[in-house]
Amino acid sequence: MSETDTQSRQYITFIANGQEFAANIMAIREIRGWTDTTPLPHVPDYVRGVINLRGIVLPVVDLKARLGLGMTEATAKHVIIVVADGSRTTGILVDAVSDIITVSNADVQPPPDVMQCGNDGHIDGIAVIDGRMVTLLAISHMTAIGIDNAMLAA
Amino acid sequence: MNFKNLSVSKKLVGVFALVLAVTIGLGLFAQTSLSKVNDVAADVSGNWLPSVKALGQYEYAVTRLRAAQSTYLLPLADETRARLIKNIQVYRNQADTAWTKYKPLVTTGTEQNLADKIVAAREAYESSLTKNLEIFKTEGDRAATTFAQGESRDKFNALVEAIDADVQFNDQMSAQRGAEGQSVFGTARLWIYIALGLAAVFCGAAGYALVRAISAPLTNMTEAMGELARGNLNAHVPHADQMDEIGKLAEAMTTFKNQLAAAEEAKEKQTQVIVSSIGTGLDHLAKGDLTHRVTDDLTGAFAKLKEDFNLAMTRLQETVKNVLNSTHQIDNNASEISTAADDLSRRTEQQAASLEETAAALEEITATVKKTAANAKEASHSVAGAKDAAENGGRVVETAVRAMDSIAQSSKQITDIIGVIDEIAFQTNLLALNAGVEAARAGEAGKGFAVVASEVRALAQRSSEAAKQIKALINTSSEHVGDGVKYVGETGQALKRIVDQVVQINALVGEMAQAAEQQSTGIEQVNSAVGQMDQVTQQNAAMVEESTAAARNMAGETKTLTELIGFFSVGDTHFAAPAAAAPRQTARSLPPRPAPKPVARPAAKMAAAGGGKPAAAPTGDDDWTEF
């Protein structure tokens, strides 16, 4: 445990709905500015559509909507984080990207029990950094579930 | 019955009847001679000359007939011959027409014989012509020509000779009648000249007799009447012995002359009586006695003269009495006028003093008003300057508003540029993050790179923050500029209101200046009126003095007049001069002398202020109650 405690990981922190989240940097492929998407038929409302990323068709998921907090009003200042999960690549729309931080495992706490019933593996844990609470999102899980839901809906 | 004793009308009628008889005889003789000449001329022009003319035409036609006969015998075409036959008929007709004209003009005797010969010769020629044409038809042209040159020609020549004889006869007769007419005319002219001479001599003699019988006695009578008219009653009246109208006129004139002489004698006697009685009356009048009357008995027009003289004396007596009475009254009135004139003089002096004070006060007021007018004009100038300044301020404000607009536009451009910088910072940040991601994925090998990426990201963030700060500053600046524009606009509005107010002030000041000028003009008019009043008052004073002197003179003159009138004796003398003097004396002594003449000006002023009572008191209430 002590071994893992001393280990540290790098995270990218970003803001959605005014709240600071973090994702493991290794899952991140690229960060880019917002471009208008092409909407898709018969998809969940949090899927904003697809964009052309250097010849690859990239579906974009609205994180705020995905978290059940309402639609994001996208502007040029919004950012799409491109996430690679194996062979699948997905874009996640967030308000802004804040920083690249290094978090030691000691600083990460598991999600509280009160979320147990509703927690379906979205959150890896919660880190306290300089007095701020940063939610560590299980980003790949999130995109996978999104696809499943979309498929279920279809 | 002498010619001299015939009446003038009979003389005139007799002489003019004789002249008329001579004129009628002369006219009858001239008329007879003229009708003889006329008969001869009518015979020549109506008978002999037309005969000659008709015979000439006849001869011409016959000649052409003969020519046509000769032509017919020539070798010719049948058509020409037919035409010649036609022409021969035409010429025959012409000859017959001429003969018809001549026939009524033939006279009995010689001419009748000649005409018969022509008829016979014509018949002979016509039968030879017919025969010739027969020969031409039966025996040919040679035989016909021989006939024409022989027998036919003799017949034609006989005809022509007969015609010529007749023409000659007619010619001779015409010349003979002409000579007859000339001899009648010469005789008549001679007799008419003789008759004219006799008539002239006779008319001259008759005229001379008339002049002797009428004009000369009239001239003599006119001269005699002239003598009478000049008053020569001994003048001789001529022609009194004549039995005609002039004799009667001379008789009437003699009667008239005698009457005139008798009237002259009566007039002489009457004149003696008039001169003595009227002369006595005039003598009394010369001595001033107006009571004398003419009592002599005068007749006719001179009775009227006596009445007129007596009436004139009575009227003169009454008039002189009235003059005495009036003189007395004039004397009384003159003293009253004198007193009144003294009072009037004093009051006029007071009035003059008041007028001078009024004039002085008016001059002060005039000066004040003029100063006010000048001040108003100056104020008007100042206000105009203020208006110009305010308008300049308005223009400056407009310029400021434009400048601020420019500033606002520049700020917007700066904001745009800042936006670009912010965008670049954002992109740079994204690139740095991507670099950081790449470095993390590279593990240990990317650590150095991660540091660089972090530095770049920090720079990008600082750029972004600086851009944000600049943007905030620019926004603040823009807000300030907006406020400035608003305030400057308000300043402009305020300046405009100031300009409006200044314009109103200018108008008011202008009105004030105008009013002051009008006041000044009005006061000047008042001033001149006061000056005129002053002048008039002084003229009044002078006139009052003159009238006072005149009143005194009048009193003296009245006295002299009374003395002069005293020369006449008018019988009843209760208006004698000594009696008239008494009322005049009382009239003089009655009105008390007016208050001491020198009335000091302050006193006059006080009197004017006090309603004039103290001044009026000393003169007595009876004279000035109207005041």
Side-chain angles (χ1 to χ4, degrees):
Chain A
M1 192 65 183
S2 62
E3 253 186 342
T4 53
D5 281 351
T6 54
Q7 273 185 346
S8 63
R9 294 182 190 166
Q10 279 192 317
Y11 286 88
I12 277 190
T13 64
F14 48 89
I15 296 173
N17 197 31
Q19 190 186 344
E20 198 170 17
F21 295 95
N24 192 339
I25 203 165
M26 299 311 285
I28 306 301
R29 179 61 55 85
E30 190 180 345
I31 297 162
R32 54 177 293 118
W34 166 258
T35 48
D36 286 336
T37 56
T38 308
L40 291 174
H42 299 301
V43 292
D45 56 353
Y46 55 79
V47 178
R48 297 294 290 250
V50 293
I51 59 169
N52 180 7
L53 181 69
R54 290 186 291 274
I56 302 161
V57 174
L58 182 75
V60 178
V61 173
D62 185 345
L63 182 62
K64 188 178 168 188
R66 182 71 181 84
L67 295 173
L69 299 169
M71 294 288 282
T72 304
E73 284 188 24
T75 67
K77 294 284 178 189
H78 285 75
V79 176
I80 295 169
I81 301 170
V82 182
V83 179
D85 181 19
S87 61
R88 194 173 61 226
T89 316
T90 311
I92 293 170
L93 171 62
V94 299
D95 288 349
V97 175
S98 301
D99 206 350
I100 296 172
I101 54 173
T102 306
V103 179
S104 63
N105 285 346
D107 292 336
V108 177
Q109 294 180 14
D113 286 344
V114 71
M115 292 179 71
Q116 206 69 41
C117 58
N119 189 7
D120 43 5
H122 288 168
I123 297 171
D124 284 344
I126 292 172
V128 180
I129 299 146
D130 300 336
R132 289 177 292 143
M133 299 276 277
V134 180
T135 309
L136 306 178
L137 278 177
I139 198 86
S140 56
H141 190 247
M142 192 163 287
T143 56
I145 285 169
I147 299 303
D148 290 347
N149 283 354
M151 284 165 71
L152 282 171
Chain B
M1 196 71 172
N2 197 343
F3 176 72
K4 211 174 180 184
N5 290 339
L6 282 174
S7 70
V8 172
S9 59
K10 279 173 185 166
K11 283 175 193 164
L12 287 171
V13 166
V15 168
F16 281 115
L18 279 170
V19 170
L20 183 65
V22 169
T23 311
I24 288 169
L26 185 61
L28 283 174
F29 176 72
Q31 198 265 335
T32 315
S33 307
L34 277 175
S35 68
K36 272 185 197 166
V37 173
N38 185 42
D39 285 348
V40 171
D43 196 25
V44 170
S45 68
N47 183 15
W48 305 113
L49 287 180
S51 298
V52 172
K53 187 185 171 195
L55 285 171
Q57 283 172 354
Y58 185 73
E59 192 175 5
Y60 174 69
V62 170
T63 312
R64 298 222 27 202
L65 192 61
R66 171 70 185 166
Q69 181 193 353
S70 307
T71 314
Y72 188 84
L73 302 181
L74 297 172
L76 290 169
D78 286 345
E79 304 90 66
T80 316
R81 274 186 222 292
R83 210 170 62 229
L84 276 172
I85 289 291
K86 230 183 260 176
N87 282 351
I88 284 168
Q89 196 54 47
V90 169
Y91 299 146
R92 274 174 181 157
N93 288 341
Q94 281 179 355
D96 289 344
T97 311
W99 189 252
T100 316
K101 273 195 215 161
Y102 171 64
K103 214 166 183 185
L105 301 172
V106 175
T107 51
T108 50
T110 318
E111 194 180 8
Q112 184 64 56
N113 294 339
L114 288 168
D116 291 345
K117 273 182 196 168
I118 292 170
V119 171
R122 168 88 190 276
E123 274 170 14
Y125 173 66
E126 281 292 343
S127 63
S128 81
L129 174 60
T130 317
K131 199 177 170 188
N132 195 6
L133 293 181
E134 282 298 315
I135 291 168
F136 180 76
K137 275 184 191 163
T138 53
E139 295 173 32
D141 54 348
R142 192 164 293 272
T145 311
T146 314
F147 183 78
Q149 298 296 327
E151 192 186 334
S152 186
R153 183 200 286 183
D154 294 342
K155 293 278 171 59
F156 175 71
N157 285 342
L159 176 58
V160 169
E161 270 167 27
I163 292 168
D164 285 347
D166 201 354
V167 167
Q168 203 176 1
F169 175 74
N170 273 299
D171 222 17
Q172 268 175 8
M173 283 309 287
S174 150
Q176 192 186 327
R177 296 291 286 165
E180 272 174 38
Q182 260 184 348
S183 89
V184 168
F185 172 70
T187 316
R189 191 169 56 178
L190 181 64
W191 279 106
I192 285 169
Y193 283 158
I194 291 165
L196 271 176
L198 283 174
V201 169
F202 182 76
C203 287
Y208 180 69
L210 272 183
V211 167
R212 289 276 303 169
I214 298 168
S215 180
L218 277 179
T219 313
N220 292 338
M221 292 299 287
T222 311
E223 275 173 17
M225 282 176 91
E227 284 289 307
L228 278 179
R230 278 192 289 273
N232 181 8
L233 294 176
N234 297 323
H236 171 66
V237 177
H239 303 293
D241 55 337
Q242 272 182 233
M243 297 296 283
D244 61 354
E245 285 92 335
I246 291 167
K248 285 175 195 164
L249 182 61
E251 205 176 317
M253 257 180 74
T254 312
T255 316
F256 174 59
K257 189 182 87 178
N258 294 339
Q259 276 181 2
L260 267 181
E264 195 71 16
E265 204 175 335
K267 206 166 78 184
E268 197 75 18
K269 278 180 193 164
Q270 191 73 15
T271 311
Q272 287 292 327
V273 180
I274 295 157
V275 166
S276 70
S277 59
I278 301 292
T280 314
L282 286 173
D283 193 35
H284 277 97
L285 179 59
K287 284 171 185 155
D289 181 8
L290 298 180
T291 55
H292 178 80
R293 298 291 182 272
V294 173
T295 49
D296 286 330
D297 226 7
L298 297 178
T299 55
F302 299 108
K304 180 89 171 71
L305 177 64
K306 171 193 153 190
E307 273 172 30
D308 287 350
F309 180 80
N310 284 346
L311 189 62
M313 288 297 274
T314 313
R315 290 269 164 84
L316 189 57
Q317 191 182 7
E318 280 170 16
T319 308
V320 170
K321 274 185 199 170
N322 288 342
V323 168
L324 273 173
N325 196 3
S326 300
T327 312
H328 168 64
Q329 283 183 0
I330 289 167
D331 195 25
N332 281 354
N333 292 343
S335 46
E336 279 174 21
I337 290 170
S338 179
T339 314
D342 280 344
D343 282 343
L344 185 57
S345 168
R346 196 165 38 74
R347 276 152 203 271
T348 308
E349 271 176 24
Q350 286 178 2
Q351 196 182 0
S354 305
L355 274 173
E356 266 179 33
E357 281 170 21
T358 311
L362 271 174
E363 264 170 33
E364 279 176 24
I365 292 172
T366 309
T368 312
V369 167
K370 272 184 185 164
K371 202 173 171 192
T372 310
N375 287 346
K377 264 185 194 167
E378 228 171 273
S380 179
H381 287 314
S382 302
V383 167
K387 188 189 162 200
D388 287 347
E391 278 172 352
N392 276 336
R395 280 194 285 280
V396 170
V397 163
E398 274 172 25
T399 317
V401 168
R402 275 201 296 278
M404 288 205 173
D405 281 344
S406 307
I407 290 169
Q409 215 170 342
S410 304
S411 297
K412 192 168 169 285
Q413 284 173 0
I414 291 170
T415 309
D416 290 347
I417 292 164
I418 296 293
V420 173
I421 292 169
D422 196 30
E423 178 67 26
I424 291 167
F426 175 73
Q427 294 293 342
T428 311
N429 190 28
L430 284 189
L431 284 174
L433 282 171
N434 278 325
V437 169
E438 288 299 330
R441 290 164 74 91
E444 281 298 317
K447 272 213 174 146
F449 189 58
V451 171
V452 172
S454 157
E455 289 293 320
V456 169
R457 209 155 49 83
L459 280 175
Q461 275 171 359
R462 274 170 62 189
S463 292
S464 178
E465 269 164 32
K468 269 176 195 148
Q469 280 173 3
I470 290 168
K471 210 172 188 177
L473 284 174
I474 290 285
N475 280 341
T476 314
S477 167
S478 291
E479 273 170 29
H480 289 167
V481 166
D483 286 349
V485 167
K486 201 174 83 183
Y487 295 142
V488 167
E490 280 173 10
T491 310
Q493 291 294 325
L495 278 172
K496 206 174 254 179
R497 282 199 293 275
I498 287 168
V499 166
D500 288 347
Q501 298 286 334
V502 164
V503 166
Q504 279 184 5
I505 289 166
N506 203 9
L508 288 173
V509 168
E511 281 174 19
M512 273 165 65
Q514 214 177 342
E517 270 175 24
Q518 283 176 357
Q519 275 180 8
S520 178
T521 315
I523 285 171
E524 268 173 26
Q525 283 175 356
V526 172
N527 215 353
S528 79
V530 167
Q532 283 176 359
M533 274 163 70
D534 191 29
Q535 213 175 346
V536 168
T537 306
Q538 278 175 13
Q539 285 175 355
N540 280 351
M543 207 171 280
V544 163
E545 273 181 22
E546 279 174 21
S547 66
T548 310
R552 276 175 198 148
N553 275 351
M554 194 162 75
E557 290 295 326
T558 311
K559 197 178 172 189
T560 314
L561 182 61
T562 314
E563 281 163 10
L564 287 174
I565 293 289
F567 168 74
F568 290 106
S569 70
V570 291
D572 186 7
T573 55
H574 66 268
F575 277 122
R584 185 177 62 192
Q585 280 296 333
T586 50
R588 277 246 169 103
S589 58
L590 258 183
R593 284 307 292 171
K597 201 171 178 193
V599 184
R601 282 211 176 141
K605 208 170 176 181
M606 275 176 68
K613 263 286 165 192
T619 52
D621 288 350
D622 51 339
D623 282 341
W624 304 103
T625 39
E626 303 99 276
F627 282 76

